[in-house]
Amino acid sequence: MPIIVCKNQLVFKLSTDNWDYCFRCNDYGLLEHVCSSAAVPDTAETLLQTLAPDKMMPFTAYPKERDMLSNGSPGVLLQEYGTFNAGDFRIPALKVRSSDGTSTVRLRWHSCQCYAGTPVLENLPCARSVENDDCETLEIKLTDPEIGLAVYLSYTVFPHCDIIVRGARIVNESSSLLTVERAMSMQLDLAPGNYDMIQLPGAWGRERHAERHALHHGIQSINSNRGLSSHAANPALVLAERTATETQGCVYGVMLAYSGNFLGEVEVSEMDSVRIVMGINPELFSWPLTPGSSFTTPQAIIARSEQGLGGMSRQLHRFFRRHWLPEKWATAKRPLLINNWEATYFDINEEKLLNIARSAAQVGVEMLVLDDGWFGKRNNDLSSLGDWYVNENKIPNLEALVRRVNELGMKFGLWFEPEMVSEDSDLYRSHPDWVLRIPNRSYSLSRHQLVLDMGRDEVVENIFQQMKNILSRANIEYIKWDANRIITECCSGALPPERQGEAAHRFVLGVYKLHARLLQEFPDLLIEGCSGGGGRFDAGILYYAPQIWCSDLSDAADRVRIQLGTSLFYPCACMGAHVSSCPNLQNLRITPLATRGNIAMSGTFGYEMDLKELSDGERQQIAGQIAMFHRLNPLVQNGDLYRLSNICSNNHIDSWCIVSPDRQKGFLTVFRKNTDLNQPPVRIRLQGLEPDAVYQIDNRTLSGKALMNIGLTFELEQGDAVSRIIEFAVV
Ligand code: DGJ
């Protein structure tokens, strides 16, 4: 049983295959964390003995009515959901303003219920239960009767992925207004220990570069206040024991399934305990609750592994495949695509597109994606976002174009930027009030565009109808959903002044609503997320779009760092990765075609160039890459990733291998960024193999044990940005 509730003592033990998480309701009704550890045989009641002896610490506060002899100081106890200004001075999970003007909350035990399966959230991404996953949910109700507040904390246990998904619902049970000022999706309090934090900071073109640093006393945080999860930070962090590596040691991975403003904070307290909270960023958020109404937080996904960062990543990847990504695509092979963007930018016409499609079809590419510039009167980025009708000067007949592409044996995909509008557009001219902007005040532009107020149903409906018109006209099987600016001066014309704190969150809900409506109308549609490259690479988007364009930097040599950082949390099969032209159009690097193919091979794979401009030799090389894609893509989709180099440092050589779930086959990728003379041969120790099986690898026959303990030695050719893919299989 994943959840054991010991009713008479109110102790709860949540168990996955390798993780026990225990908490209790203490004598004065506070939800107190007991322990989180590798699986132990002890019962929930027995685990109470692991609690530190009760002790009132000097200079701490305690509730007046409390029995001085029982339980320690609330500000020192490990808790499940700390609240603001009632004796716990660490970062709170919850802050609610009541009609008396204060934001103090004191939550106490009320009741609990347990059920098989997962909670269903309306209009928010939520984890799915599948057959035989034994998943169970515990819901705890806490209340603050003095202000009439109820909080439902939910814990869904996915035993075979070693994952617990958390969330909270805040309900106003009073007869006056309550305002939620901060409602985190999760809190995890850990006993004192030496921990490092790993996060994925970045910027446009260098997204998700993993960074590791030691925790210090006080608060360290990651956040976005840009309306989107952003290039600059990712809503995910790792807490790793100081000695934990890729292969061993205890690590926690915490992810927020949310695509807007987020905050993740880690605090080392005065007593050295560690608190992690993650949720919607309170900076641009407040949510008034009228009597009887409620607010639901997005879900947080928490993984724990004793097998280091690699173990944690594989757990999360498995969880995404089984319980999160759109079911139709979660484990399915995605079409190998060619995208015209870097080949043409805005300068498109039907003939150019057909030429790109023809030369791609000849080598076996499976889908043409028509990127930006096909609609309104868009010839550059100054106009037309919001006008989702075909520019007939460029594409006289969309149906015919799609048909001709289909006749080449290829699918057809189309680019949209649904949440955005250009000032120079029919949509903006007819509805200037549909954008997020403070009326009668100056405002910011970014890429010459504005952001639609997706919190308004009429806006979502308008964009949905426009997209539906296009998608039902022709056989369009994929869309690339872009979002090329961040949100500033966030203010909704549909909300009164006292409710402006809702605008940013309502925007995200509208984005999810539009995704859901499109998928309801076109259930087979494949959506690829994008945001000026990888500015919105998060679990929220992955719930609707199983792949996301990783970065606008398409150079393979720099992509290695981006893709490895991303893989800390997200599966390889979710990373949009293409082979682009050379020299690279963004950083001008000359990266060999072989390396461009080898690095994209560990993503969704595709091309972003005009193949007919290549030499015959290069086209032949591409035919070879495509044959390799067909062999290796099932491994990328469903295999286990083992990173073999340290993702938090700049390495001379980077390498990783992907192994089939049955360990019978896989492939190793090795990459060296800078040439280096007079080096010894490369020696790589593989991971994830069957120790006693014998593998055929690089014209050698070696046992799994030998490959993992001694390693494989080989030469890498001279030159910058060289790489090799080495396939292996059990003989
Ligand atoms: C940004 C994307 O990341 C690019 O791939 C491309 O689609 C452009 N937008 C189009 O404007």
Side-chain angles (χ1 to χ4, degrees):
M1 287 292 285
I3 297 178
I4 290 177
V5 181
C6 165
K7 280 256 155 90
N8 48 354
Q9 288 192 50
L10 289 179
V11 195
F12 308 88
K13 185 179 175 200
L14 279 44
S15 299
T16 70
D17 293 348
N18 300 292
W19 178 16
D20 278 329
Y21 184 92
C22 184
F23 58 93
R24 65 148 173 179
C25 162
N26 78 5
D27 292 348
Y28 54 101
L30 201 86
L31 217 51
E32 183 182 355
H33 178 81
V34 175
C35 58
S36 168
S37 75
V40 288
D42 314 69
T43 63
E45 300 94 307
T46 323
L47 286 175
L48 288 177
Q49 300 170 81
T50 66
L51 279 173
D54 294 335
K55 190 172 164 200
M56 176 53 66
M57 306 301 288
F59 233 87
T60 56
Y62 50 90
K64 179 171 162 24
E65 67 281 8
R66 153 188 190 284
D67 169 5
M68 283 292 282
L69 296 176
S70 68
N71 307 125
S73 315
V76 172
L77 294 177
L78 304 185
Q79 297 192 32
E80 285 298 306
Y81 206 64
T83 58
F84 179 70
N85 197 33
D88 181 357
F89 296 93
R90 291 163 290 184
I91 33 177
L94 185 70
K95 195 173 166 190
V96 177
R97 195 171 65 246
S98 29
S99 48
D100 62 11
T102 67
S103 298
T104 303
V105 180
R106 192 191 301 273
L107 288 178
R108 292 295 181 263
W109 171 264
H110 184 278
S111 53
C112 70
Q113 61 152 330
C114 200
Y115 54 88
T118 54
V120 177
L121 307 188
E122 207 184 314
N123 203 18
L124 272 172
C126 50
R128 272 192 316 274
S129 165
V130 294
E131 220 181 312
N132 300 328
D133 63 2
D134 305 326
C135 125
E136 245 188 306
T137 299
L138 171 65
E139 190 179 78
I140 308 260
K141 179 176 179 183
L142 304 170
T143 58
D144 182 339
E146 290 177 350
I147 60 168
L149 179 77
V151 174
Y152 294 82
L153 297 182
S154 87
Y155 298 77
T156 303
V157 183
F158 294 86
H160 313 310
C161 291
D162 292 318
I163 298 265
I164 297 176
V165 169
R166 289 193 56 175
R169 188 160 55 91
I170 326 293
V171 185
N172 182 353
E173 292 187 340
S174 80
S175 50
S176 47
L177 183 75
L178 295 175
T179 303
V180 182
E181 294 180 317
R182 175 180 175 107
M184 293 288 123
S185 299
M186 61 74 66
Q187 174 181 314
L188 175 62
D189 277 7
L190 297 172
N194 278 329
Y195 285 104
D196 287 349
M197 174 169 156
I198 305 176
Q199 50 164 322
L200 299 179
W204 176 86
R206 47 185 168 82
E207 294 88 341
R208 296 175 299 287
H209 284 187
E211 196 174 280
R212 179 171 184 158
H213 54 83
L215 290 189
H216 55 74
H217 277 97
I219 300 172
Q220 35 257 284
S221 66
I222 54 170
N223 77 85
S224 165
N225 52 9
R226 301 165 194 234
L228 280 62
S229 47
S230 92
H231 299 86
N234 194 265
L237 64 83
V238 174
L239 212 65
E241 276 178 347
R242 180 81 25 90
T243 51
T245 62
E246 269 294 328
T247 53
Q248 60 81 35
C250 169
V251 301
Y252 288 91
V254 181
M255 305 179 70
L256 187 68
Y258 193 59
S259 311
N261 299 324
F262 72 90
L263 176 66
E265 292 182 302
V266 180
E267 178 172 7
V268 182
S269 74
E270 60 189 329
M271 294 298 154
D272 302 334
S273 65
V274 179
R275 172 169 292 179
I276 312 172
V277 295
M278 202 182 282
I280 294 177
N281 192 343
E283 190 187 7
L284 280 149
F285 169 84
S286 69
W287 201 271
L289 289 179
T290 51
S293 66
S294 68
F295 176 79
T296 303
T297 69
Q299 290 190 329
I301 302 162
I302 310 173
R304 183 184 190 282
S305 168
E306 295 266 340
Q307 263 75 55
L309 300 172
M312 178 205 79
S313 299
R314 287 185 291 280
Q315 275 164 236
L316 285 165
H317 298 173
R318 224 168 290 143
F319 172 80
F320 273 103
R321 284 195 290 267
R322 284 176 68 79
H323 302 287
W324 197 265
L325 299 174
E327 265 172 297
K328 180 175 163 59
W329 296 106
T331 56
K333 187 158 171 280
R334 324 271 169 68
L336 160 57
L337 66 86
I338 186 150
N339 179 307
N340 73 293
W341 178 242
E342 291 195 8
T344 62
Y345 291 122
F346 294 100
D347 186 15
I348 47 171
N349 60 44
E350 191 177 290
E351 209 34 48
K352 274 193 189 179
L353 292 167
L354 280 171
N355 281 337
I356 291 176
R358 279 187 203 107
S359 52
Q362 275 164 15
V363 286
V365 174
E366 299 167 331
M367 178 162 74
L368 173 75
V369 175
L370 168 50
D371 210 280
D372 196 352
W374 58 268
F375 52 92
K377 57 179 178 67
R378 189 156 166 102
N379 293 314
N380 48 42
D381 56 15
L382 293 172
S383 82
S384 301
L385 295 173
D387 295 346
W388 302 110
Y389 47 83
V390 180
N391 179 341
E392 291 179 354
N393 294 327
K394 294 183 179 181
I395 318 279
N397 185 337
L398 179 70
E399 293 82 337
L401 172 66
V402 176
R403 211 171 31 247
R404 290 174 74 183
V405 170
N406 288 168
E407 280 161 12
L408 293 169
M410 294 172 87
K411 298 175 190 296
F412 186 88
L414 197 57
W415 181 97
F416 287 93
E417 196 173 357
E419 307 133 75
M420 302 289 163
V421 67
S422 308
E423 286 186 297
D424 181 6
S425 68
D426 295 342
L427 185 72
Y428 184 69
R429 279 183 284 274
S430 7
H431 299 286
D433 56 328
W434 276 9
V435 296
L436 289 170
R437 189 173 69 201
I438 310 172
N440 308 317
R441 303 250 309 257
S442 46
Y443 55 94
S444 311
L445 289 176
S446 179
R447 210 194 187 199
H448 316 287
Q449 65 198 54
L450 293 163
V451 184
L452 286 170
D453 183 359
M454 298 293 284
R456 294 170 81 142
D457 282 343
E458 63 275 32
V459 175
V460 172
E461 184 59 27
N462 178 294
I463 301 297
F464 169 72
Q465 288 302 342
Q466 290 200 60
M467 292 177 79
K468 182 179 159 194
N469 283 345
I470 296 285
L471 296 179
S472 28
R473 260 174 69 179
N475 184 23
I476 299 168
E477 297 178 73
Y478 156 111
I479 64 172
K480 177 174 171 187
W481 180 314
D482 209 344
N484 282 298
R485 71 157 283 182
I486 46 185
I487 301 179
T488 53
E489 298 96 22
C490 183
C491 172
S492 166
L495 295 171
E498 66 280 10
R499 289 183 54 197
Q500 286 304 328
E502 298 172 31
H505 180 56
R506 286 194 181 280
F507 169 83
V508 180
L509 296 180
V511 170
Y512 292 154
K513 195 183 283 180
L514 184 56
H515 277 92
R517 279 205 75 185
L518 284 166
L519 289 172
Q520 198 180 13
E521 188 74 27
F522 304 99
D524 293 332
L525 188 68
L526 169 60
I527 305 180
E528 173 153 352
C530 177
S531 171
R536 195 162 58 181
F537 204 118
D538 56 60
I541 293 298
L542 285 175
Y543 187 69
Y544 307 96
Q547 57 196 60
I548 301 177
W549 184 227
C550 230
S551 175
D552 270 347
L553 178 55
S554 60
D555 172 42
D558 282 343
R559 271 297 187 102
V560 170
R561 190 154 173 210
I562 295 174
Q563 290 177 204
L564 285 176
T566 307
S567 78
L568 192 55
F569 301 99
Y570 306 98
C572 291
C574 297
M575 299 182 208
H578 299 167
V579 177
S580 60
S581 58
C582 185
N584 181 267
L585 291 173
Q586 293 85 35
N587 67 7
L588 309 180
R589 184 180 274 118
I590 294 182
T591 298
L593 181 54
T595 292
R596 284 177 272 151
N598 287 346
I599 304 307
M601 201 62 71
S602 287
T604 56
F605 203 71
Y607 290 87
E608 186 112 1
M609 57 183 4
D610 190 345
L611 301 186
K612 79 174 175 335
E613 285 172 9
L614 301 180
S615 67
D616 288 348
E618 287 172 320
R619 261 195 300 275
Q620 251 174 30
Q621 223 180 317
I622 283 182
Q625 287 176 348
I626 291 177
M628 187 189 265
F629 161 80
H630 290 299
R631 282 198 308 279
L632 301 189
N633 188 257
L635 294 166
V636 176
Q637 278 293 144
N638 298 309
D640 287 323
L641 171 75
Y642 293 83
R643 290 178 298 258
L644 307 172
S645 46
N646 181 351
I647 55 166
C648 297
S649 62
N650 271 319
N651 302 309
H652 179 52
I653 287 187
D654 282 300
S655 60
W656 60 95
C657 63
I658 301 184
V659 185
S660 62
D662 63 5
R663 298 166 181 248
Q664 294 295 296
K665 58 181 174 181
F667 69 98
L668 165 70
T669 307
V670 185
F671 167 77
R672 192 186 62 215
K673 200 164 183 177
N674 298 314
T675 192
D676 215 352
L677 270 182
N678 195 20
Q679 287 291 308
V682 178
R683 180 188 294 269
I684 303 282
R685 285 172 59 188
L686 279 78
Q687 289 175 32
L689 307 185
E690 193 59 54
D692 295 321
V694 175
Y695 292 85
Q696 180 73 37
I697 180 166
D698 205 28
N699 296 323
R700 281 164 264 185
T701 314
L702 283 164
S703 70
K705 268 190 191 140
L707 288 166
M708 293 193 288
N709 293 318
I710 305 168
L712 184 74
T713 45
F714 53 91
E715 296 280 356
L716 271 182
E717 63 180 300
Q718 271 314 317
D720 286 341
V722 294
S723 67
R724 273 190 74 186
I725 283 185
I726 302 175
E727 298 177 52
F728 53 84
V730 168
V731 287

